[in-house]
């Protein structure tokens, strides 16, 4: 276990005459035993950041500290950390046992101790019976476990994971995700996890660092990035289906601010902790998650009129694609499969879950009052959806 | 439809059979000749009249033949070791390190490979004699390295490039230094390439004639290819012994192929091994 | 548009001395303009089936009919269908225009008509501005569109898709999935879609064919395979998180059957349409989806006691991993983030959503009465989760 | 740490420089020799005394040299075309069609490649004279094909295997027949391999000496390598003309490399193109 501090990290790549800015002034601190995720679209700099922590790339500027020690110039083999690669990088000419034990052998551990430790880690990820196999004899899921076991074998302070689940199929990914989280809870290493999948980041991490174009957007706990996204990028990146963004005009009164969308308006309390930015702008972008839109049949006065364009059933829920006066919206509805393209509906947007963003900067101006999981009225005994269905 | 497919398959088989015949016939002819007595051979029948090991026995009985064989083997093995080692190191350097002029380097290596070796033989002769390496097996070995190294470097270079860097990086993160990584991770992964280079270098040296002809004049340092042509330039041509010598020369190739063919076939395809 | 009938398809592969049975006696009929998915774990025979329809493999036994015509022996180039490959297989030596137009060129279409049609399809998938690029200049998502455009260009009767989304990242996958569905609704070709991702199958298809080890398990509409899985395999394959399976004993009375799980029991009405199998077995496997388990704090008499082992927050929901007397269960709860490993809870299983499966054959014995989206009490005006939160 | 890295980099540069020198020196020596007059050359200084194109002018002035050059070019170009075509077809067949004995076939092709060509020259001489192909450029061309084809087949075979079958299958589904698919999809994808084979075949034929020596005796059919050695076996050795001939022989290689090097470097790595 160890803590990591990145300070003012800056890195660019040059290929031919083009220069690509990969990481731009990144500051990040990871506590002892914390599980953090670096998340963002491809090319956002998350993998480069991980590789700089590993020592596989050197930052152009900035310093990296592990437990207070400056490791910026330390080569990877002396940093005392392990990594699980996206393609696993299991050595094909070694057996599973040799693969897992390779780090121990380099460290000069006695043969008997090596064998003991290999068995121990293999048991941890449930591949004890595969120790004499060669990688080519393993399935994708088994290879992934070998890679994880190898990373844990040396009992390093820090474990880095570079999209370790992206080569697994959907079912296996869900299962392995849970196992990885349990593994972390049991052994408690500091772990840094890179992924493009916001769901993995949300479910696994203590804190999530969201990056875009080399710049850190927000670094906070999953519930915070989900409920109080710092800006438009975070708001639309985190959460699936993606948050709806609708241009709106604001009209400020004494105690309330009126939000107008073509065909719908609402009134928000003015001032108070919900307002983060200036309260005097006249235009903003309304953000509302698909789950926070309620869909009613037919057109009703005071509700946002829309037409169903597509329905995607996902099992017990369905994703409705809607057209509201030329704007494409998405709503997620539970327990209903009877919509069809062309149906006229009207929408309620939950004010408690509404967000406002600045039109130019994209910074959050306002977050609805209700925090999922922290609303007193519903927290402990309120009817969840499943209860309602019981 | 099925008929067309069948026809196209049949035509392909026929073409393959023709190619086989084209290549195999000279070899058969040689094998046949080596097992015949001299008079029989001149009758040029397709099937051997009688089978006799006379030619082989006489060949192996000659002290000079054994000397040639020993010289050839020494030069071939030594140049294979030197050439393969250098090719692996240079190919690794080219694949792994960044430096200016890498593109020019690549052009240079290919140019060396394509450079007419005959044209090279004259200046080499010139140089070698002036530094007293003429007429030595060591000098011959060095020339063979010169001939096989460029292609060897190119092959290893290409080969090392197909090995994903994740293997190397992972070894580093497990604590292995650069040299250890090279030896325990990258070299085993490049094994097929290494074997291909070794085979190429061995074959080249084993059958090389021109340089041996130019550089070597003393009887004690002559190699098999030179020795063989002496059967021709004598007063009469001893066909069956020439054939037997040819067969003998082919034996190491045959043995090498038999032992290593699994790596050779895997050669170019399994470089990009995925964990 | 065309309909497809597979009749008694049987296919095995031999490698070395091992024989692998890929498809075992498959019967399938696909209607004109239908979108069907072949879904199952890797190695289930779904790709082999698609390749046999395409003509890239020949069945060992059985026949394939397109619009009543036996095409079993027809080579792929004469079957008049298109395919989108998993790795797209865009020709790297041709521009996007040449790639899309290649099929038209082969068909001998006039140059001007080719250009017109290429523009038309390119517009359909929004890549008109990329026509002069080479594949290496495109991103993953753009390549995918080129592959789709090329498949549509010849306006074939049937379009086959082999995991076309599996190389895209999570966000792009969601977006492209919806576009693909809209494309199908607009152009209406018969489409056969292979995937290992049950969510793609549920959202896209008119009907889903679930395969396992070469054998068709169920072939029905998404709502049916979700709500009335034919057997244990379908039940656990469809739906995410996976359905919980719990061994139970049955005790049959006059009008009711009692279901006993260690620590919990319930009574189901005996007879009626819910019962599909024999009603006299004494043991069964209870199946219940994570969403249909309600989680209460503390241990309560009559409810199934459990301990929280792991919580995975997914945004507005969370997945709870539970230990109920040694059995691992999963529950999905909305709006609650305050569980922690070690918390004692008690569970309600929704009887309306309960399934029973035969212990030996795995066949469904009983499906709970409530069908998602078809429950009268909640269908049109009942409070959905999102409404409740409004 | 940084020092170690710097040192290891420096050592690598040094090694590369040494290798370069090792290869480049003979070439430099040749170029220098060809630009000197005969007397100067014997003094063996590192730098040329004066530069003169005398040797080149005299060389090109000789009718026999021009004849040799023409013969060499004819044989080299013809054998390159034949060998490349056959290699592509046979390699494609081996990669695409299933047939029994494929493994044996692979062993056979490799064996042919490694078979000592010198050993082959005798039976070929034998056969060619008996079917009246001795002393003809056509016969020589055919031998060169025999020499370059096995490696060519092997290379194309490996190369076609790296092309994912999805390209071929997709072409079929777009309506292309087998031949059209081969011509418009698979062959363009294998372009780099094809060029590598062509270069290999050309280089081999261009500098081949032994078979030309054995098969060709008439002055009108002699090739450059044979012609060059005649400079040596005359009464006195015309060093500067030999050097000039060597340089002339290297020109095609240099031109080919310059034009094609981008495909050559891409050769083995970009085979598994992903759409």
């Amino acid at each position: 276990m160890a803590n990591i501090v990145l300070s003012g990290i800056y890195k660019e790549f040059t290929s031919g005459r083009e220069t690509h800015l990969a990481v731009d002034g990144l500051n990040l601190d990871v506590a002892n035993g914390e599980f953090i995720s670096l998340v963002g679209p491809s090319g956002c700099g998350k993998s480069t950041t991980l590789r700089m922590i590993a020592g596989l790339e050197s930052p152009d500027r900035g310093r990296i500290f592990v437990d207070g020690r400056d490791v910026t110039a330390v080569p990877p083999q002396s940093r005392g950390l392990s990594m699980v690669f996206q393609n696993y990088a299991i050595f094909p000419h070694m057996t599973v046992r040799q693969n897992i034990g390779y780090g121990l052998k380099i460290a000069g551990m006695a043969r008997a101790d090596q064998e003991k430790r290999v068995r121990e880690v293999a048991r941890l990820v449930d591949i004890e019976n595969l120790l004499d196999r060669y990688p080519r004899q393993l399935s994708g899921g088994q290879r992934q476990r070998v890679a994880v076991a190898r990373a844990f074998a040396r009992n390093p302070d820090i474990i880095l994971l570079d999209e370790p689940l992206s080569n697994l199929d959907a079912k296996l990914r869900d299962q392995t995700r849970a196992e990885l989280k349990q593994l972390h809870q049991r052994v408690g290493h500091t772990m840094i996890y890179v992924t493009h999948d916001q769901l993995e980041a949300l479910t696994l991490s203590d804190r999530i660092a969201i990056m875009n174009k080399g710049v850190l957007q927000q670094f906070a706990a999953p519930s915070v990035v989900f409920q109080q996204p710092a800006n438009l990028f975070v708001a639309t990146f985190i959460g699936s289906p993606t948050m709806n963004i609708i241009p709106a005009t604001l009209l400020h009164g004494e105690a309330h601010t009126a939000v107008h969308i073509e065909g719908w308006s609402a009134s928000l309390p003015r001032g108070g902790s919900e307002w983060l930015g200036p309260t005097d702008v006249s235009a903003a972008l309304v953000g509302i998650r698909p789950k926070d839109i309620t869909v009613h049949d037919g057109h009703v006065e005071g509700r946002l009129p829309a037409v169903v364009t597509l329905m995607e059933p996902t099992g017990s829920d369905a994703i409705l694609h809607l057209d509201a006066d030329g704007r494409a919206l998405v709503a997620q509805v539970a327990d209903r499969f009877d919509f069809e393209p062309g149906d006229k509906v009207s929408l309620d947007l939950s004010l408690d879950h509404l967000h406002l963003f600045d039109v130019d900067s994209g910074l959050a101006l306002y977050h609805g009052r209700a925090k999922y999981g922290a609303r007193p009225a519903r927290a402990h005994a309120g009817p969840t959806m499943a209860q309602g269905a019981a | 439809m099925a008929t067309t497919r069948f026809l196209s398959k049949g035509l392909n088989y026929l073409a393959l059979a023709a190619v086989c015949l084209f290549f195999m016939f000279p070899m058969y002819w040689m094998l046949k000749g080596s097992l015949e007595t001299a008079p029989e051979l001149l009758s040029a029948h397709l099937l051997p009249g009688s089978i006799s090991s006379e030619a082989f026995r006489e060949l192996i009985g000659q002290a000079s033949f054994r000397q040639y064989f020993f010289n050839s083997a020494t030069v071939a093995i030594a140049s294979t070791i030197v050439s393969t080692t250098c090719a692996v190191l240079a190919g690794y350097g080219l694949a792994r390190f960044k430096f200016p002029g890498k593109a020019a380097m690549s052009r240079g290596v290919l140019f060396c490979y394509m450079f007419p070796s005959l044209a090279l033989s004259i200046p080499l002769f010139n140089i070698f004699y002036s530094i007293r390496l003429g007429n030595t097996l060591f000098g011959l070995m060095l020339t063979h390295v010169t001939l096989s190294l460029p292609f060897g470097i190119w092959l290893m270079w290409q080969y090392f490039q197909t090995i994903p860097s994740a293997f190397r990086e992972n070894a580093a993160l497990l604590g292995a230094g650069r040299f250890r990584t090279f030896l325990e991770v990258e070299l085993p992964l490049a094994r097929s390439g290494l074997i291909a280079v070794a085979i190429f270098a061995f074959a080249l040296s084993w059958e090389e004639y021109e340089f041996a002809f130019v550089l070597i004049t003393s009887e004690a340092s002559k190699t098999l290819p030179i020795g063989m042509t002496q059967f021709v330039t004598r007063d009469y041509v001893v066909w069956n012994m020439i054939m037997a010598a040819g067969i003998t020369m082919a034996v190491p190739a045959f043995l090498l192929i038999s032992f290593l063919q699994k790596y050779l076939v895997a050669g170019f395809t399994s470089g990009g091994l995925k964990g």
Side-chain angles (χ1 to χ4, degrees), chain B residues 26-82:
Chain B
M27 294 188 200
Y28 166 72
W29 197 252
M30 191 156 58
L31 189 64
K32 169 188 164 274
S34 70
L35 293 172
E36 287 179 320
T37 55
E40 266 181 349
L41 208 151
L42 292 174
S43 66
H45 288 297
L46 263 182
L47 293 173
S50 66
I51 288 178
S52 129
S53 60
E54 178 199 318
F56 282 101
R57 269 185 286 118
E58 196 181 327
L59 193 70
I60 293 165
Q62 291 185 358
S64 62
F65 174 80
R66 294 198 303 269
Q67 180 69 43
Y68 298 159
F69 196 96
F70 175 76
N71 290 345
S72 269
T74 308
V75 170
I77 290 170
S79 71
T80 302
I81 292 171
V82 173

Side-chain angles (χ1 to χ4, degrees), chain B residues 209-232:
Chain B
Y209 172 83
E210 293 152 44
F211 285 79
F213 181 75
V214 172
L215 283 179
I216 306 289
T217 49
S218 84
E219 183 67 16
S221 299
K222 278 183 179 165
T223 55
L224 260 189
I226 306 297
M228 254 187 78
T229 55
Q230 295 183 345
F231 290 119
V232 187

Side-chain angles (χ1 to χ4, degrees), chain A residues 341-364:
Chain A
D343 281 2
K344 288 182 178 178
V345 295
S346 50
L347 313 175
D348 262 345
L349 313 187
S350 160
L351 290 191
D352 282 351
H353 296 89
L354 193 126
H355 305 265
L356 293 179
F357 299 95
D358 189 87
V359 175
D360 300 316
S361 68
L363 289 176

Side-chain angles (χ1 to χ4, degrees), chain A residues 78-96:
Chain A
S78 314
R79 291 200 183 184
L81 35 73
S82 286
M83 184 160 164
V84 178
F85 286 76
Q86 186 174 2
N87 57 6
Y88 315 142
I90 306 174
F91 306 128
H93 58 294
M94 299 184 190
T95 61
V96 170

Side-chain angles (χ1 to χ4, degrees), chain A residues 144-180:
Chain A
Q144 203 269 348
R145 281 156 199 266
V146 174
V148 169
R150 185 174 55 179
F152 277 85
R154 281 202 309 164
N155 205 12
D157 296 327
I158 300 160
I159 294 181
L160 311 176
L161 302 108
D162 188 6
E163 311 228 11
L165 306 182
S166 66
N167 283 338
L168 304 180
D169 73 20
K171 278 274 154 190
L172 201 53
R173 201 155 51 218
D174 289 351
Q175 183 197 331
T176 315
R177 203 183 60 212
E179 287 173 2
L180 209 53

Side-chain angles (χ1 to χ4, degrees), chain A residues 287-306:
Chain A
I288 184 109
R289 296 202 183 276
K291 268 209 169 158
D292 302 323
I293 296 180
T294 317
V295 181
H296 303 271
D297 287 318
H299 284 180
V300 178
E301 196 58 38
R303 290 177 177 160
L304 187 61

Side-chain angles (χ1 to χ4, degrees), chain A residues 51 54 56 76-77 81-83 85 87-94 102-103 105-106 135 143 150 154, chain B residues 164-178 180-181 184-186 188-189 273-275:
Chain A
R51 291 171 61 82
L56 300 171
Q77 58 266 36
L81 35 73
S82 286
M83 184 160 164
F85 286 76
N87 57 6
Y88 315 142
I90 306 174
F91 306 128
H93 58 294
M94 299 184 190
Y102 190 58
K105 184 179 150 201
I106 292 171
R143 287 176 197 186
R150 185 174 55 179
R154 281 202 309 164
Chain B
S165 58
F167 289 122
R168 175 169 45 99
E169 294 174 350
N170 206 334
L173 284 166
L174 291 170
R178 185 153 243 166
R180 183 162 199 156
T181 303
E184 294 184 354
V185 174
E186 296 182 277
L189 289 175
L273 288 156
K274 274 190 188 131

Side-chain angles (χ1 to χ4, degrees), chain A residues 304-371:
Chain A
L304 187 61
V307 174
V308 175
T309 56
L310 184 74
M311 194 190 74
E312 297 184 281
T314 64
S316 54
D317 292 4
I319 299 166
L320 276 188
H321 295 254
L322 305 156
D323 181 290
D325 198 22
R327 289 185 299 268
L329 296 181
V330 172
Q332 191 168 15
V333 294
D335 292 337
R336 291 195 53 180
F337 289 96
D338 49 358
F339 290 109
E340 284 194 5
D343 281 2
K344 288 182 178 178
V345 295
S346 50
L347 313 175
D348 262 345
L349 313 187
S350 160
L351 290 191
D352 282 351
H353 296 89
L354 193 126
H355 305 265
L356 293 179
F357 299 95
D358 189 87
V359 175
D360 300 316
S361 68
L363 289 176
L365 298 175
Y366 173 92
H367 292 306
R369 180 176 343 193
K371 306 294 165 262

